[in-house]
Amino acid sequence: MISFLDLKAINAQYRDELVAAATRVIDSGWYIHGTEVKSFEQEFAAYCGTEHCIGVANGLDALTLVLRAWKELGKLNEGDEVIVPANTYIASILAITENRLKPVLVEPDPQSYNIDPANIRVALTEKTKAIVAVHLYGQLAAMPEIMAIAEEHNLLVLEDSAQAHGAEANGKKSGNWGNASGFSFYPGKNLGALGDAGAVTTSNAELAQTIRALGNYGSERKYENLYQGVNSRLDEMQAALLRVKLKHLDSETLRRREIATTYALGINNPEIQLPVSADVSANALSYHAFHLFVVRTHNRIALQQHLLDAGIQIMIHYPVPPHQQQAYQNWRSQSLPVTEAIHNEVLSLPISPVMPVAQVQQVIAACNSYQA
């Protein structure tokens, strides 16, 4: 069986470095808010091209804390509208509702699966105060257009970069386009910890200071609490492990792009729709991180079974859109046909930096032999 993502093999490449990093933390006797976190924050901020990085407990907290900080700073108020793609993973929306803000679900571009700037303009009202730009599957949203809309209407932009570590457009990386960005380092991400972890990047010093305090019980100084904060901190162990893996992120991303290009050139089944930017050379201004290689077909169940019979593990990202989840059952009357079609038809093929060439060719052969 070709596994969808072999995390054990990915981490085995750097086992000695990871063990040395873990040993360094164990021997230090300092496990929270120490030198490893500080160093990782500096290194990841430099990688993204931002002034600040704030380590937090996970990717959802990263998004939630940015919106919370904007409320504390008077940039947002309860009930303000936040535009968000309707086909995103639910975490993008949970961060909005957790802050008692109103998500406005917007249909994506049916080719890129990212939020459509034209639909953003249609959704604007006098209550719109922010846009959550999700870089789905590892491809940047149309950030030049989105930032132009934001500037025109004085809106805040929060990038959801949970799937886009190292992705870039026009020479600028994910995490450095909006006013702030939330990252997840969940183990399966392109830059994955060995547990839960996340971070916020921004070049706004006041925002960075506020987020750092909010994630530390609302405190900048021990036992002095400015806000009714939470406990959301990146710990020393995960920071040390992430420092190791950050050094290898670019080379791993390059391998993902190579596999994606091989898929794009090799899969020629008319029943399978490929990602529009699978051949990265076709768009010189946009560089996909290929967290996922997502194809689309009218009969997903049949293709899924065909690939499983061929010994290929696949995943579906995602089978149920947020507006059809029980958690948001009051949204079920919304008509979002593009989103619903995407969620009914997409399927993710295996892709990882340790995937052997023979397995890539096996996936291509299985896709080409599929008959609807």
Side-chain angles (χ1 to χ4, degrees), residues 235-262:
D235 69 65
E236 284 287 282
M237 184 64 74
Q238 297 303 337
L241 301 175
L242 284 166
R243 292 183 68 198
V244 170
K245 299 187 74 175
L246 179 59
K247 294 185 295 183
H248 304 283
L249 178 57
D250 283 345
S251 62
E252 289 199 355
T253 302
L254 178 61
R255 178 57 185 147
R256 288 176 178 274
R257 290 174 179 156
E258 290 172 348
I259 293 171
T261 302
T262 303

Side-chain angles (χ1 to χ4, degrees), residues 13-243:
Q13 304 173 97
Y14 318 121
R15 188 181 189 282
D16 290 346
E17 292 179 82
L18 292 169
V19 169
T23 301
R24 187 170 67 241
V25 174
I26 293 168
D27 291 346
S28 74
W30 194 286
Y31 308 118
I32 299 289
H33 278 180
T35 58
E36 297 292 344
V37 169
K38 183 177 181 180
S39 294
F40 173 74
E41 289 177 340
Q42 292 172 342
E43 291 159 9
F44 193 64
Y47 179 83
C48 294
T50 60
E51 293 296 322
H52 307 279
C53 170
I54 308 96
V56 297
N58 54 68
L60 174 56
D61 281 5
L63 299 174
T64 303
L65 287 169
V66 172
L67 295 172
R68 170 72 188 282
W70 279 334
K71 288 178 66 180
E72 294 289 352
L73 293 170
K75 307 289 186 181
L76 294 175
N77 295 291
E78 287 188 16
D80 285 345
E81 293 179 355
V82 179
I83 290 176
V84 62
N87 64 314
T88 185
Y89 182 60
I90 200 168
S92 312
I93 296 169
L94 290 171
I96 299 170
T97 56
E98 174 67 19
N99 280 288
R100 298 185 181 180
L101 302 165
K102 182 181 178 181
V104 177
L105 306 183
V106 170
E107 291 271 52
D109 181 306
Q111 299 300 313
S112 70
Y113 309 131
N114 277 328
I115 194 167
D116 188 334
N119 290 338
I120 292 177
R121 288 190 177 277
V122 173
L124 291 171
T125 75
E126 62 181 14
K127 295 182 179 180
T128 306
K129 300 300 179 184
I131 302 169
V132 175
V134 181
H135 307 315
L136 201 61
Y137 306 147
Q139 180 174 210
L140 258 66
M143 293 311 296
E145 293 89 340
I146 291 171
M147 295 308 297
I149 294 170
E151 184 175 356
E152 181 181 346
H153 295 276
N154 193 30
L155 305 176
L156 297 164
V157 176
L158 170 56
E159 295 175 72
D160 183 339
S161 299
Q163 299 183 2
H165 316 72
E168 61 182 86
N170 299 5
K172 186 183 291 189
K173 281 189 169 65
S174 170
N176 190 27
W177 277 93
N179 303 95
S181 181
F183 284 88
S184 167
F185 304 123
Y186 181 78
K189 304 298 186 183
N190 289 24
L191 179 59
L194 273 69
D196 269 325
V200 173
T201 57
T202 182
S203 289
N204 185 298
E206 184 181 33
L207 178 63
Q209 183 177 10
T210 305
I211 292 170
R212 195 176 296 281
L214 284 169
N216 188 39
Y217 301 98
S219 174
E220 291 180 358
R221 296 179 182 176
K222 197 168 185 178
Y223 305 131
E224 295 181 15
N225 303 84
L226 298 172
Y227 312 104
Q228 297 177 27
V230 297
N231 178 7
S232 181
R233 302 177 297 204
L234 177 63
D235 69 65
E236 284 287 282
M237 184 64 74
Q238 297 303 337
L241 301 175
L242 284 166
R243 292 183 68 198

